[in-house]
Amino acid sequence: MKLLLLSIFLFTSLLGSCQSKPETIVQNTQVTSEKILIVYLSRTKNTKAVAEMIQKEVGGRLVELELKTPYPEDYQAIVSQVARENETGFLPPLKTKIHDLDQVEVVFLGFPTWGMQLPPPIKSFLTENNLSGQKIIPFNTNGGYGIGSSFDTLEELCKGCLILSGFSVRGGSERDGILFVMDGEKEIKVEKEVKKWLSSLKS
Ligand SMILES: Cc1cc2nc3c(=O)[nH]c(=O)nc-3n(C[C@H](O)[C@H](O)[C@H](O)COP(=O)(O)O)c2cc1C
């Protein structure tokens, strides 16, 4: 009898794990998990943590953006480099190439606020890839000063895209030596906020 019950349990668990994720509804449209891309830039892993929370809820392919030439480890050095890139309009080339972008319908695009702007690698991503016709859903972490001009720049650089309501939350503050914060109580709180935001995107 025990053996029979165990077999039934194993069979149903296996069945559960084989089923694909239920479809997510974005703006009244059903989207399967294969058509969702979650792409993000993250240095101290706060934005990465939010990206993983989104993936836990909606499935999709998770891709971290990496540069051909990585930024310096030193905080002051990266701040100066980013300021120079913003001034000159330099777009740092990406090592990450996205395959089968034409199969994607919804792109969750995550980034930290850098110098109160959209980070240069995200500008590179929007320039190197054709996202027109796709639904773009931005998400952001920042050191407490908000999104700055980042969401506006996204609109400018992605004219043919449908940009949906984004999400932003306070992350670390590298300037003050606060790096990764998305654990413990904070993680639980942000996870709840992410779920609430995701369900607001349905209608
Ligand atoms: C180069 C650089 C510039 C930053 N500029 C800002 C800023 O202008 N405003 C702000 O609120 N936070 C700023 N921050 C802090 C980050 O936005 C914040 O720590 C974020 O959570 C980092 O995300 P990550 O852990 O995914 O890298 C900056 C961080 C770096 C490294």
Side-chain angles (χ1 to χ4, degrees):
M1 184 62 179
K2 263 189 182 163
L3 193 67
L4 180 69
L5 283 176
L6 184 68
S7 325
I8 292 171
F9 172 75
L10 282 177
F11 177 71
T12 45
S13 319
L14 206 66
L15 202 66
S17 65
C18 290
Q19 277 168 355
S20 62
K21 275 207 168 262
E23 296 194 328
T24 296
I25 300 170
V26 178
Q27 280 222 316
N28 292 318
T29 312
Q30 296 209 325
V31 187
T32 53
S33 137
E34 303 84 65
K35 296 199 178 291
I36 297 175
L37 174 70
I38 305 163
V39 55
Y40 66 92
L41 174 76
S42 189
R43 175 174 156 94
T44 45
K45 302 198 166 35
N46 292 292
T47 315
K48 178 179 191 229
V50 176
E52 288 168 352
M53 291 173 194
I54 297 170
Q55 193 197 34
K56 203 167 130 193
E57 291 303 307
V58 304
R61 180 164 36 131
L62 196 60
V63 178
E64 176 167 15
L65 288 183
E66 288 180 85
L67 295 186
K68 281 196 177 149
T69 309
Y71 280 118
E73 289 282 315
D74 180 71
Y75 175 71
Q76 283 309 333
I78 185 177
V79 168
S80 309
Q81 186 172 330
V82 166
R84 268 196 312 279
E85 289 176 353
N86 282 334
E87 243 173 68
T88 59
F90 177 74
L91 299 177
L94 298 177
K95 183 168 109 182
T96 310
K97 301 287 169 220
I98 314 280
H99 306 289
D100 301 325
L101 198 53
D102 53 337
Q103 310 287 311
V104 171
E105 280 178 22
V106 174
V107 180
F108 286 89
L109 181 60
F111 45 85
T113 305
W114 278 2
M116 297 315 285
Q117 299 193 34
L118 191 67
I122 299 293
K123 297 178 188 166
S124 302
F125 171 74
L126 295 168
T127 309
E128 288 183 17
N129 298 281
N130 179 10
L131 299 167
S132 63
Q134 288 175 345
K135 293 186 176 84
I136 311 292
I137 311 177
F139 61 99
N140 162 274
T141 73
N142 59 77
Y145 296 92
I147 57 172
S149 59
S150 64
F151 285 16
D152 290 339
T153 307
L154 181 61
E155 297 255 4
E156 282 162 28
L157 294 179
C158 205
K159 286 272 186 252
C161 310
L162 178 61
I163 299 175
L164 304 189
S165 182
F167 175 82
S168 177
V169 68
R170 188 174 187 153
S173 179
E174 199 174 333
R175 189 186 62 175
D176 306 312
I178 302 166
L179 304 180
F180 182 73
V181 298
M182 296 292 172
D183 53 4
E185 289 290 310
K186 172 86 177 177
E187 184 185 19
I188 295 167
K189 186 170 170 278
V190 174
E191 223 160 14
K192 272 192 194 144
E193 289 173 17
V194 165
K195 278 187 192 170
K196 198 170 158 205
W197 162 63
L198 288 172
S199 48
S200 78
L201 293 171
K202 289 182 181 171
S203 51

